Amino acid sequence: MDKEFDVIVVGGGHAGCEASFVASKMGANVLLITQNLTCIAALSCNPAMGGVAKGQIVREIDAMGGYSGLNTDNNTLQFRMLNASKGAAMWSPRAQVDNVMFPIGWRRQLEQMPTLSMWQDEVTDIMIKGDRVEGVRTKLGLTFKAKAVVLTNGTFLSGRIHVGKVNYEGGRLGEEAAVSLSKQLKDLGFIVEKLKTGTPMRVEGKSIDFSLLTEQKGDEQPGKFSYLTQRRKPLEQHSCFLAYTSEKVHDILRTGFKDSPMFQGRIQGKGPRYCPSIEDKIERFSEKDHHQLFIEPESLYTDLYYVNGFSSSLPLDIQYKALREIIGFKNAKIVRPGYAIEYDYFPPTQLKATLETKQIENLYFAGQINGTTGYEEAACQGMMASINAVLKIREQEPLVLKRSEAYIGVLIDDLVTKGVDEPYRMFTSRAEYRILLRQDNADERLTEKSFLIGLAEKERMKLLEKKLSSTNNIIDYISKTNVQPQEINSTLENLSTPNLVRPDKIAHLLVRPQVRLGDLLPALPVLKQKFDALPLYIRKEVKTLTEIKVKYASYIIKEQEVVDRINKYENLFIKEDFDYNSLKSLSFEAREKLSKIRPKTIAQASRISGVSPADISVLVLYISK
């Protein structure tokens, strides 16, 4: 308690775990304070990591040396590459994970970090001297000093749980809310608002008739998230299942609308648009007579299943009656109700691009406190907040990822520039440069940046260098080597693509939409030998990267040209104390928004709602002078 830490992390969710791990890995002395050490990295909602755009984020966290990807690979129950039938920019890895072992994996890793300490307690307020954070105070009356503090409080700030007419304070079912800290931040002048999220009931597997459900298996050749390791043994995958609601189920749910906290105004916070409760879906999509549900296993060590898509805050008896009308759930037994939780968040336009608060120096916010949803969005914020906290302590330049460099960059830029008025969820459509921001090349984009700040290890750099040199060598070979018609035409016929009439480069064949690299290898023994000679740990990655770089070369080049044009605005910096009100050529709205958000660059200013191209032209002209 007498020790001054470099970084104190408040909260042990996914943002807090990644923040603590990363800061410690960079050599900082770290203290993680959380209410319950047995609930570290809890999968409060669905027991899965990744998904559309979220999978890219987990790959990016791993590429930079974070732990989310490794822990997911160590505890995967099922792996699927979503959108595999679409272009490579849309491929999104997703893993069903073990809800018992995943948190244990995180705790084991954190306990092994030599410069990381943990303390079970509630932080009631932060200590401030002038406009700079100095540490925290706890419910037990203790004070801990630190050079920087990262708040990752999740849904615990003034959290309130709702099940029908029943509601009470709580940060998660069975856990207390944190009220004092939120009040203090509000008293300090921070804007605080409410959001809402929810989770479905948990059902005993032995009470479900799976023979009446549609089985959903994992990929035949399951992938992984981490670039660092290979699976030691083949993944034993466990199935998920599909079920469907019906009009009868909807009618039962409607009988509870009169007691719904959401419809009756007891919940003021706005819920997630892209993951609505079942009652919200019935209202918004009243023309639909059924909705798809995903029945997902919680763990190998329990018999519980998660009913994905059936989130609800309706009275418990209504939830239960409706559940039993779903085919396969006639005899279902629940062990935990679905519920909604309303909580405080702090609009993220109050943050710098480093996730440091504008109002208090060395105080950082990460995760749901910023209005985001999802473990993945939280984890990447925790990582970036800690990186920048450590760099600032060391008086080094901050690390701010551009929108053209990472989904993480898109997410943070959206938060601090545009703000949120509903829970923010990442999608591929939010990224302008998604051809460049693929899940396969996160290491190529980010590992060296992370290595230079002391986070990514040498092993990662060596793997990346070997992967890129091998890929370049193979691309060079197939770009220069001709294939004869008699060698390949039978293969092309089987692929329903025109035969060759004269010799052509292997790379030209690969550009055809019907042709995959794996299809060509049996007919081209020299090329197959080149792949077989590669170390097993990079062979699949090289094969994927080679095919994408050749197939999508023209698209990649065009998108990079757009990025290069835009980057001139990314490098036009605006002074932090710039007086926008002195520029009368700016519109009144632009002056108001720019003064509030304080963009760091012209590019960031251009993304602020209410700032027009004409306003940007005025700024560019002034700054250029």
Short mmCIF file of all heavy atoms in Angstrom, two decimals, residues 93-153:
data_model
loop_
_atom_site.label_atom_id
_atom_site.label_comp_id
_atom_site.label_asym_id
_atom_site.label_seq_id
_atom_site.Cartn_x
_atom_site.Cartn_y
_atom_site.Cartn_z
N PRO A 93 -13.17 -14.44 -38.17
CA PRO A 93 -13.09 -15.63 -37.30
C PRO A 93 -13.94 -15.47 -36.04
O PRO A 93 -14.06 -14.38 -35.48
CB PRO A 93 -11.60 -15.70 -36.95
CG PRO A 93 -11.09 -14.31 -37.13
CD PRO A 93 -11.91 -13.68 -38.19
N ARG A 94 -14.54 -16.58 -35.62
CA ARG A 94 -15.34 -16.60 -34.39
C ARG A 94 -15.13 -17.92 -33.68
O ARG A 94 -15.10 -18.98 -34.32
CB ARG A 94 -16.83 -16.42 -34.70
CG ARG A 94 -17.72 -16.37 -33.44
CD ARG A 94 -19.20 -16.32 -33.84
NE ARG A 94 -20.07 -16.06 -32.69
CZ ARG A 94 -20.58 -17.00 -31.88
NH1 ARG A 94 -20.29 -18.29 -32.11
NH2 ARG A 94 -21.36 -16.68 -30.88
N ALA A 95 -14.98 -17.87 -32.38
CA ALA A 95 -14.78 -19.09 -31.59
C ALA A 95 -15.78 -19.13 -30.44
O ALA A 95 -15.97 -18.15 -29.72
CB ALA A 95 -13.37 -19.15 -31.04
N GLN A 96 -16.44 -20.30 -30.29
CA GLN A 96 -17.19 -20.59 -29.08
C GLN A 96 -16.17 -20.99 -28.03
O GLN A 96 -15.31 -21.83 -28.31
CB GLN A 96 -18.16 -21.74 -29.36
CG GLN A 96 -19.32 -21.83 -28.41
CD GLN A 96 -20.31 -20.71 -28.61
OE1 GLN A 96 -20.44 -20.19 -29.70
NE2 GLN A 96 -20.99 -20.33 -27.55
N VAL A 97 -16.19 -20.37 -26.86
CA VAL A 97 -15.16 -20.66 -25.86
C VAL A 97 -15.77 -21.24 -24.59
O VAL A 97 -16.97 -21.12 -24.34
CB VAL A 97 -14.33 -19.40 -25.51
CG1 VAL A 97 -13.56 -18.92 -26.73
CG2 VAL A 97 -15.20 -18.30 -24.95
N ASP A 98 -14.91 -21.87 -23.82
CA ASP A 98 -15.33 -22.51 -22.57
C ASP A 98 -15.49 -21.45 -21.49
O ASP A 98 -14.52 -20.81 -21.07
CB ASP A 98 -14.30 -23.56 -22.15
CG ASP A 98 -14.82 -24.47 -21.07
OD1 ASP A 98 -15.21 -23.96 -20.01
OD2 ASP A 98 -14.84 -25.70 -21.28
N ASN A 99 -16.72 -21.27 -21.03
CA ASN A 99 -17.04 -20.20 -20.09
C ASN A 99 -16.46 -20.43 -18.70
O ASN A 99 -16.40 -19.51 -17.88
CB ASN A 99 -18.56 -20.04 -19.98
CG ASN A 99 -18.97 -18.66 -19.51
OD1 ASN A 99 -18.14 -17.83 -19.17
ND2 ASN A 99 -20.26 -18.41 -19.49
N VAL A 100 -16.03 -21.65 -18.42
CA VAL A 100 -15.37 -21.94 -17.14
C VAL A 100 -13.87 -21.72 -17.26
O VAL A 100 -13.25 -21.05 -16.43
CB VAL A 100 -15.67 -23.39 -16.69
CG1 VAL A 100 -14.83 -23.75 -15.46
CG2 VAL A 100 -17.16 -23.55 -16.39
N MET A 101 -13.27 -22.25 -18.32
CA MET A 101 -11.82 -22.23 -18.44
C MET A 101 -11.27 -20.92 -19.00
O MET A 101 -10.12 -20.56 -18.71
CB MET A 101 -11.37 -23.39 -19.33
CG MET A 101 -11.66 -24.76 -18.76
SD MET A 101 -11.04 -24.97 -17.05
CE MET A 101 -9.28 -24.75 -17.29
N PHE A 102 -12.05 -20.19 -19.79
CA PHE A 102 -11.57 -18.92 -20.35
C PHE A 102 -11.19 -17.93 -19.25
O PHE A 102 -10.08 -17.38 -19.26
CB PHE A 102 -12.63 -18.33 -21.29
CG PHE A 102 -12.22 -17.08 -21.99
CD1 PHE A 102 -11.59 -17.13 -23.23
CD2 PHE A 102 -12.45 -15.83 -21.43
CE1 PHE A 102 -11.21 -15.97 -23.89
CE2 PHE A 102 -12.07 -14.67 -22.07
CZ PHE A 102 -11.45 -14.74 -23.31
N PRO A 103 -12.07 -17.68 -18.24
CA PRO A 103 -11.66 -16.78 -17.15
C PRO A 103 -10.47 -17.31 -16.35
O PRO A 103 -9.60 -16.54 -15.94
CB PRO A 103 -12.92 -16.69 -16.28
CG PRO A 103 -14.05 -17.02 -17.20
CD PRO A 103 -13.49 -18.06 -18.13
N ILE A 104 -10.43 -18.62 -16.16
CA ILE A 104 -9.30 -19.20 -15.42
C ILE A 104 -8.01 -18.99 -16.20
O ILE A 104 -6.95 -18.68 -15.62
CB ILE A 104 -9.55 -20.70 -15.16
CG1 ILE A 104 -10.68 -20.88 -14.15
CG2 ILE A 104 -8.28 -21.39 -14.66
CD1 ILE A 104 -11.11 -22.32 -13.93
N GLY A 105 -8.08 -19.14 -17.52
CA GLY A 105 -6.90 -18.91 -18.35
C GLY A 105 -6.37 -17.49 -18.20
O GLY A 105 -5.15 -17.26 -18.12
N TRP A 106 -7.29 -16.53 -18.17
CA TRP A 106 -6.86 -15.14 -17.98
C TRP A 106 -6.22 -14.96 -16.60
O TRP A 106 -5.17 -14.31 -16.48
CB TRP A 106 -8.06 -14.21 -18.11
CG TRP A 106 -8.09 -13.45 -19.41
CD1 TRP A 106 -9.03 -13.53 -20.39
CD2 TRP A 106 -7.14 -12.47 -19.85
NE1 TRP A 106 -8.72 -12.67 -21.43
CE2 TRP A 106 -7.58 -12.01 -21.13
CE3 TRP A 106 -5.97 -11.95 -19.32
CZ2 TRP A 106 -6.87 -11.05 -21.86
CZ3 TRP A 106 -5.26 -10.99 -20.05
CH2 TRP A 106 -5.71 -10.56 -21.30
N ARG A 107 -6.86 -15.51 -15.58
CA ARG A 107 -6.33 -15.30 -14.23
C ARG A 107 -4.94 -15.94 -14.07
O ARG A 107 -4.04 -15.33 -13.49
CB ARG A 107 -7.29 -15.87 -13.18
CG ARG A 107 -6.76 -15.66 -11.77
CD ARG A 107 -7.81 -15.77 -10.72
NE ARG A 107 -7.22 -15.58 -9.39
CZ ARG A 107 -7.91 -15.55 -8.27
NH1 ARG A 107 -9.22 -15.67 -8.31
NH2 ARG A 107 -7.31 -15.39 -7.11
N ARG A 108 -4.79 -17.13 -14.61
CA ARG A 108 -3.47 -17.79 -14.54
C ARG A 108 -2.40 -16.91 -15.18
O ARG A 108 -1.29 -16.77 -14.67
CB ARG A 108 -3.53 -19.14 -15.25
CG ARG A 108 -4.19 -20.25 -14.45
CD ARG A 108 -4.30 -21.49 -15.29
NE ARG A 108 -4.84 -22.62 -14.54
CZ ARG A 108 -5.27 -23.74 -15.11
NH1 ARG A 108 -5.22 -23.88 -16.44
NH2 ARG A 108 -5.75 -24.72 -14.37
N GLN A 109 -2.74 -16.34 -16.34
CA GLN A 109 -1.76 -15.52 -17.05
C GLN A 109 -1.42 -14.26 -16.27
O GLN A 109 -0.26 -13.88 -16.12
CB GLN A 109 -2.29 -15.14 -18.44
CG GLN A 109 -1.33 -14.32 -19.28
CD GLN A 109 -0.01 -15.03 -19.52
OE1 GLN A 109 0.03 -16.19 -19.93
NE2 GLN A 109 1.09 -14.34 -19.23
N LEU A 110 -2.43 -13.60 -15.73
CA LEU A 110 -2.18 -12.37 -14.97
C LEU A 110 -1.36 -12.65 -13.71
O LEU A 110 -0.49 -11.86 -13.34
CB LEU A 110 -3.51 -11.71 -14.59
CG LEU A 110 -4.35 -11.17 -15.76
CD1 LEU A 110 -5.66 -10.59 -15.23
CD2 LEU A 110 -3.60 -10.14 -16.56
N GLU A 111 -1.63 -13.78 -13.08
CA GLU A 111 -0.88 -14.12 -11.86
C GLU A 111 0.59 -14.41 -12.15
O GLU A 111 1.43 -14.32 -11.25
CB GLU A 111 -1.54 -15.32 -11.16
CG GLU A 111 -2.87 -14.97 -10.51
CD GLU A 111 -3.55 -16.17 -9.88
OE1 GLU A 111 -3.22 -17.32 -10.23
OE2 GLU A 111 -4.44 -15.95 -9.04
N GLN A 112 0.89 -14.75 -13.39
CA GLN A 112 2.28 -15.04 -13.76
C GLN A 112 3.08 -13.79 -14.13
O GLN A 112 4.31 -13.85 -14.25
CB GLN A 112 2.31 -16.01 -14.95
CG GLN A 112 1.83 -17.41 -14.62
CD GLN A 112 1.66 -18.27 -15.84
OE1 GLN A 112 2.16 -17.95 -16.92
NE2 GLN A 112 0.95 -19.37 -15.70
N MET A 113 2.43 -12.66 -14.30
CA MET A 113 3.12 -11.44 -14.70
C MET A 113 3.92 -10.91 -13.52
O MET A 113 3.36 -10.60 -12.46
CB MET A 113 2.14 -10.38 -15.19
CG MET A 113 1.23 -10.85 -16.33
SD MET A 113 2.14 -11.41 -17.79
CE MET A 113 2.84 -9.87 -18.37
N PRO A 114 5.25 -10.79 -13.65
CA PRO A 114 6.09 -10.45 -12.49
C PRO A 114 5.86 -9.04 -11.93
O PRO A 114 6.13 -8.80 -10.75
CB PRO A 114 7.51 -10.60 -13.04
CG PRO A 114 7.39 -10.51 -14.52
CD PRO A 114 6.05 -11.06 -14.86
N THR A 115 5.39 -8.10 -12.75
CA THR A 115 5.21 -6.73 -12.25
C THR A 115 3.74 -6.38 -12.04
O THR A 115 3.38 -5.21 -11.97
CB THR A 115 5.84 -5.71 -13.23
OG1 THR A 115 5.16 -5.80 -14.50
CG2 THR A 115 7.32 -5.98 -13.43
N LEU A 116 2.89 -7.40 -11.94
CA LEU A 116 1.46 -7.17 -11.78
C LEU A 116 0.98 -7.65 -10.42
O LEU A 116 1.23 -8.80 -10.02
CB LEU A 116 0.69 -7.90 -12.89
CG LEU A 116 -0.84 -7.91 -12.79
CD1 LEU A 116 -1.41 -6.50 -12.84
CD2 LEU A 116 -1.44 -8.76 -13.91
N SER A 117 0.29 -6.78 -9.69
CA SER A 117 -0.35 -7.14 -8.42
C SER A 117 -1.86 -7.04 -8.58
O SER A 117 -2.35 -6.30 -9.44
CB SER A 117 0.10 -6.19 -7.30
OG SER A 117 1.51 -6.20 -7.17
N MET A 118 -2.60 -7.78 -7.75
CA MET A 118 -4.06 -7.73 -7.81
C MET A 118 -4.61 -7.50 -6.41
O MET A 118 -4.04 -7.96 -5.42
CB MET A 118 -4.62 -9.03 -8.41
CG MET A 118 -4.29 -9.20 -9.89
SD MET A 118 -5.17 -10.57 -10.68
CE MET A 118 -4.16 -11.95 -10.13
N TRP A 119 -5.75 -6.81 -6.36
CA TRP A 119 -6.38 -6.52 -5.07
C TRP A 119 -7.89 -6.56 -5.24
O TRP A 119 -8.44 -5.96 -6.17
CB TRP A 119 -5.94 -5.14 -4.57
CG TRP A 119 -6.55 -4.75 -3.26
CD1 TRP A 119 -7.48 -3.78 -3.04
CD2 TRP A 119 -6.28 -5.32 -1.98
NE1 TRP A 119 -7.82 -3.71 -1.72
CE2 TRP A 119 -7.09 -4.65 -1.03
CE3 TRP A 119 -5.44 -6.35 -1.54
CZ2 TRP A 119 -7.07 -4.97 0.32
CZ3 TRP A 119 -5.42 -6.66 -0.19
CH2 TRP A 119 -6.23 -5.98 0.73
N GLN A 120 -8.58 -7.29 -4.34
CA GLN A 120 -10.03 -7.41 -4.41
C GLN A 120 -10.67 -6.35 -3.52
O GLN A 120 -10.54 -6.37 -2.30
CB GLN A 120 -10.47 -8.81 -3.97
CG GLN A 120 -11.99 -9.02 -4.06
CD GLN A 120 -12.36 -10.48 -3.93
OE1 GLN A 120 -12.00 -11.29 -4.77
NE2 GLN A 120 -13.10 -10.81 -2.87
N ASP A 121 -11.35 -5.40 -4.17
CA ASP A 121 -11.92 -4.27 -3.45
C ASP A 121 -12.73 -3.45 -4.46
O ASP A 121 -12.68 -3.71 -5.66
CB ASP A 121 -10.80 -3.42 -2.84
CG ASP A 121 -11.24 -2.57 -1.65
OD1 ASP A 121 -12.46 -2.42 -1.44
OD2 ASP A 121 -10.35 -2.05 -0.94
N GLU A 122 -13.46 -2.46 -3.97
CA GLU A 122 -14.18 -1.54 -4.86
C GLU A 122 -13.53 -0.17 -4.79
O GLU A 122 -13.32 0.37 -3.69
CB GLU A 122 -15.65 -1.43 -4.46
CG GLU A 122 -16.44 -0.47 -5.33
CD GLU A 122 -17.84 -0.21 -4.82
OE1 GLU A 122 -18.43 -1.13 -4.20
OE2 GLU A 122 -18.35 0.91 -5.03
N VAL A 123 -13.20 0.40 -5.93
CA VAL A 123 -12.68 1.76 -5.98
C VAL A 123 -13.86 2.72 -5.87
O VAL A 123 -14.79 2.67 -6.67
CB VAL A 123 -11.89 2.01 -7.29
CG1 VAL A 123 -11.56 3.50 -7.45
CG2 VAL A 123 -10.61 1.19 -7.30
N THR A 124 -13.81 3.58 -4.86
CA THR A 124 -14.92 4.51 -4.62
C THR A 124 -14.66 5.88 -5.22
O THR A 124 -15.60 6.59 -5.57
CB THR A 124 -15.17 4.66 -3.12
OG1 THR A 124 -13.94 5.03 -2.47
CG2 THR A 124 -15.69 3.37 -2.52
N ASP A 125 -13.39 6.28 -5.32
CA ASP A 125 -13.10 7.54 -5.98
C ASP A 125 -11.63 7.60 -6.38
O ASP A 125 -10.80 6.81 -5.91
CB ASP A 125 -13.47 8.74 -5.10
CG ASP A 125 -12.76 8.74 -3.76
OD1 ASP A 125 -13.06 7.85 -2.94
OD2 ASP A 125 -11.90 9.60 -3.54
N ILE A 126 -11.34 8.52 -7.26
CA ILE A 126 -9.96 8.73 -7.70
C ILE A 126 -9.37 9.93 -6.96
O ILE A 126 -10.09 10.86 -6.59
CB ILE A 126 -9.88 8.93 -9.23
CG1 ILE A 126 -10.79 10.07 -9.67
CG2 ILE A 126 -10.21 7.66 -9.97
CD1 ILE A 126 -10.67 10.41 -11.14
N MET A 127 -8.07 9.89 -6.74
CA MET A 127 -7.38 11.00 -6.08
C MET A 127 -6.78 11.91 -7.15
O MET A 127 -6.13 11.43 -8.09
CB MET A 127 -6.28 10.47 -5.16
CG MET A 127 -6.80 9.58 -4.03
SD MET A 127 -5.53 9.14 -2.84
CE MET A 127 -4.40 8.17 -3.85
N ILE A 128 -7.02 13.20 -6.98
CA ILE A 128 -6.58 14.17 -7.98
C ILE A 128 -5.82 15.29 -7.30
O ILE A 128 -6.21 15.76 -6.21
CB ILE A 128 -7.80 14.76 -8.74
CG1 ILE A 128 -8.60 13.64 -9.40
CG2 ILE A 128 -7.36 15.78 -9.78
CD1 ILE A 128 -9.96 14.07 -9.88
N LYS A 129 -4.75 15.73 -7.93
CA LYS A 129 -4.02 16.91 -7.47
C LYS A 129 -3.95 17.87 -8.64
O LYS A 129 -3.36 17.57 -9.68
CB LYS A 129 -2.62 16.53 -7.01
CG LYS A 129 -1.87 17.70 -6.39
CD LYS A 129 -0.55 17.25 -5.80
CE LYS A 129 0.15 18.44 -5.11
NZ LYS A 129 1.45 18.02 -4.50
N GLY A 130 -4.60 19.01 -8.49
CA GLY A 130 -4.72 19.94 -9.61
C GLY A 130 -5.62 19.33 -10.66
O GLY A 130 -6.78 19.03 -10.40
N ASP A 131 -5.08 19.13 -11.84
CA ASP A 131 -5.85 18.46 -12.91
C ASP A 131 -5.19 17.14 -13.31
O ASP A 131 -5.32 16.69 -14.43
CB ASP A 131 -5.98 19.38 -14.13
CG ASP A 131 -4.63 19.76 -14.73
OD1 ASP A 131 -3.58 19.39 -14.13
OD2 ASP A 131 -4.60 20.41 -15.78
N ARG A 132 -4.51 16.51 -12.35
CA ARG A 132 -3.77 15.28 -12.64
C ARG A 132 -4.16 14.19 -11.65
O ARG A 132 -4.30 14.44 -10.45
CB ARG A 132 -2.27 15.56 -12.54
CG ARG A 132 -1.37 14.45 -13.03
CD ARG A 132 0.09 14.81 -12.75
NE ARG A 132 1.01 13.84 -13.32
CZ ARG A 132 1.63 14.00 -14.47
NH1 ARG A 132 1.46 15.11 -15.17
NH2 ARG A 132 2.46 13.07 -14.92
N VAL A 133 -4.35 12.96 -12.13
CA VAL A 133 -4.71 11.85 -11.25
C VAL A 133 -3.49 11.42 -10.44
O VAL A 133 -2.35 11.45 -10.92
CB VAL A 133 -5.28 10.68 -12.07
CG1 VAL A 133 -4.18 9.94 -12.83
CG2 VAL A 133 -6.04 9.70 -11.19
N GLU A 134 -3.75 11.02 -9.19
CA GLU A 134 -2.65 10.61 -8.31
C GLU A 134 -2.82 9.19 -7.77
O GLU A 134 -1.91 8.64 -7.20
CB GLU A 134 -2.53 11.57 -7.12
CG GLU A 134 -1.79 12.85 -7.43
CD GLU A 134 -1.28 13.51 -6.16
OE1 GLU A 134 -1.99 13.45 -5.13
OE2 GLU A 134 -0.17 14.06 -6.20
N GLY A 135 -4.02 8.63 -7.91
CA GLY A 135 -4.26 7.30 -7.38
C GLY A 135 -5.74 7.08 -7.15
O GLY A 135 -6.58 7.78 -7.72
N VAL A 136 -6.06 6.09 -6.28
CA VAL A 136 -7.46 5.76 -6.02
C VAL A 136 -7.67 5.47 -4.54
O VAL A 136 -6.74 5.13 -3.81
CB VAL A 136 -7.92 4.53 -6.84
CG1 VAL A 136 -7.74 4.77 -8.33
CG2 VAL A 136 -7.16 3.27 -6.40
N ARG A 137 -8.93 5.61 -4.12
CA ARG A 137 -9.34 5.19 -2.78
C ARG A 137 -10.34 4.05 -2.93
O ARG A 137 -11.08 4.00 -3.90
CB ARG A 137 -10.00 6.34 -2.01
CG ARG A 137 -9.06 7.48 -1.69
CD ARG A 137 -9.74 8.52 -0.78
NE ARG A 137 -8.86 9.66 -0.55
CZ ARG A 137 -8.81 10.74 -1.33
NH1 ARG A 137 -9.62 10.81 -2.38
NH2 ARG A 137 -8.00 11.72 -1.05
N THR A 138 -10.39 3.18 -1.94
CA THR A 138 -11.25 2.01 -2.03
C THR A 138 -12.28 1.97 -0.90
O THR A 138 -12.20 2.72 0.08
CB THR A 138 -10.44 0.70 -2.00
OG1 THR A 138 -10.02 0.45 -0.65
CG2 THR A 138 -9.24 0.76 -2.92
N LYS A 139 -13.22 1.05 -1.05
CA LYS A 139 -14.30 0.89 -0.07
C LYS A 139 -13.77 0.48 1.30
O LYS A 139 -14.37 0.79 2.33
CB LYS A 139 -15.28 -0.16 -0.60
CG LYS A 139 -16.67 -0.10 0.02
CD LYS A 139 -17.61 -1.01 -0.75
CE LYS A 139 -19.05 -0.84 -0.27
NZ LYS A 139 -19.98 -1.68 -1.09
N LEU A 140 -12.63 -0.20 1.31
CA LEU A 140 -12.02 -0.63 2.57
C LEU A 140 -11.23 0.49 3.23
O LEU A 140 -10.60 0.28 4.27
CB LEU A 140 -11.11 -1.84 2.34
CG LEU A 140 -11.81 -3.17 2.06
CD1 LEU A 140 -10.80 -4.25 1.72
CD2 LEU A 140 -12.65 -3.60 3.26
N GLY A 141 -11.24 1.69 2.64
CA GLY A 141 -10.56 2.83 3.23
C GLY A 141 -9.09 2.91 2.86
O GLY A 141 -8.33 3.67 3.49
N LEU A 142 -8.66 2.15 1.88
CA LEU A 142 -7.25 2.16 1.47
C LEU A 142 -7.02 3.18 0.37
O LEU A 142 -7.92 3.52 -0.40
CB LEU A 142 -6.84 0.78 0.96
CG LEU A 142 -7.07 -0.39 1.93
CD1 LEU A 142 -6.69 -1.71 1.26
CD2 LEU A 142 -6.28 -0.21 3.22
N THR A 143 -5.79 3.67 0.30
CA THR A 143 -5.39 4.54 -0.80
C THR A 143 -4.21 3.90 -1.52
O THR A 143 -3.30 3.35 -0.90
CB THR A 143 -4.97 5.93 -0.30
OG1 THR A 143 -3.87 5.81 0.61
CG2 THR A 143 -6.12 6.64 0.37
N PHE A 144 -4.25 3.94 -2.84
CA PHE A 144 -3.17 3.42 -3.68
C PHE A 144 -2.75 4.52 -4.63
O PHE A 144 -3.59 5.09 -5.34
CB PHE A 144 -3.64 2.20 -4.48
CG PHE A 144 -4.00 1.01 -3.65
CD1 PHE A 144 -5.32 0.76 -3.29
CD2 PHE A 144 -3.02 0.12 -3.22
CE1 PHE A 144 -5.66 -0.34 -2.53
CE2 PHE A 144 -3.35 -0.99 -2.45
CZ PHE A 144 -4.68 -1.22 -2.10
N LYS A 145 -1.47 4.84 -4.65
CA LYS A 145 -0.96 5.91 -5.51
C LYS A 145 -0.50 5.34 -6.85
O LYS A 145 -0.03 4.21 -6.93
CB LYS A 145 0.20 6.64 -4.82
CG LYS A 145 -0.24 7.44 -3.61
CD LYS A 145 0.93 8.24 -3.04
CE LYS A 145 0.47 9.10 -1.84
NZ LYS A 145 1.59 9.89 -1.28
N ALA A 146 -0.64 6.15 -7.88
CA ALA A 146 -0.22 5.72 -9.23
C ALA A 146 0.04 6.93 -10.10
O ALA A 146 -0.51 8.02 -9.89
CB ALA A 146 -1.29 4.84 -9.87
N LYS A 147 0.88 6.72 -11.11
CA LYS A 147 1.16 7.77 -12.09
C LYS A 147 0.05 7.87 -13.13
O LYS A 147 -0.13 8.91 -13.76
CB LYS A 147 2.50 7.49 -12.77
CG LYS A 147 3.68 7.52 -11.82
CD LYS A 147 4.95 6.99 -12.48
CE LYS A 147 6.09 6.93 -11.47
NZ LYS A 147 7.29 6.24 -12.05
N ALA A 148 -0.67 6.77 -13.34
CA ALA A 148 -1.79 6.76 -14.29
C ALA A 148 -2.85 5.78 -13.80
O ALA A 148 -2.53 4.78 -13.15
CB ALA A 148 -1.32 6.37 -15.68
N VAL A 149 -4.10 6.07 -14.13
CA VAL A 149 -5.22 5.21 -13.75
C VAL A 149 -6.06 4.93 -14.99
O VAL A 149 -6.38 5.85 -15.75
CB VAL A 149 -6.10 5.86 -12.66
CG1 VAL A 149 -7.36 5.03 -12.39
CG2 VAL A 149 -5.32 6.05 -11.37
N VAL A 150 -6.41 3.65 -15.18
CA VAL A 150 -7.26 3.24 -16.30
C VAL A 150 -8.56 2.70 -15.73
O VAL A 150 -8.55 1.70 -15.00
CB VAL A 150 -6.57 2.17 -17.18
CG1 VAL A 150 -7.47 1.80 -18.36
CG2 VAL A 150 -5.21 2.65 -17.67
N LEU A 151 -9.67 3.35 -16.03
CA LEU A 151 -10.98 2.90 -15.55
C LEU A 151 -11.64 2.00 -16.59
O LEU A 151 -11.85 2.42 -17.73
CB LEU A 151 -11.90 4.10 -15.26
CG LEU A 151 -11.44 5.07 -14.16
CD1 LEU A 151 -12.51 6.14 -13.93
CD2 LEU A 151 -11.13 4.34 -12.85
N THR A 152 -11.94 0.77 -16.19
CA THR A 152 -12.59 -0.20 -17.08
C THR A 152 -13.75 -0.84 -16.32
O THR A 152 -13.76 -2.04 -16.08
CB THR A 152 -11.60 -1.29 -17.54
OG1 THR A 152 -11.25 -2.11 -16.42
CG2 THR A 152 -10.33 -0.69 -18.13
N ASN A 153 -14.75 -0.03 -15.98
CA ASN A 153 -15.78 -0.45 -15.01
C ASN A 153 -16.93 -1.23 -15.60
O ASN A 153 -17.83 -1.64 -14.87
CB ASN A 153 -16.32 0.78 -14.28
CG ASN A 153 -15.23 1.54 -13.56
OD1 ASN A 153 -14.50 2.32 -14.17
ND2 ASN A 153 -15.09 1.31 -12.28
#
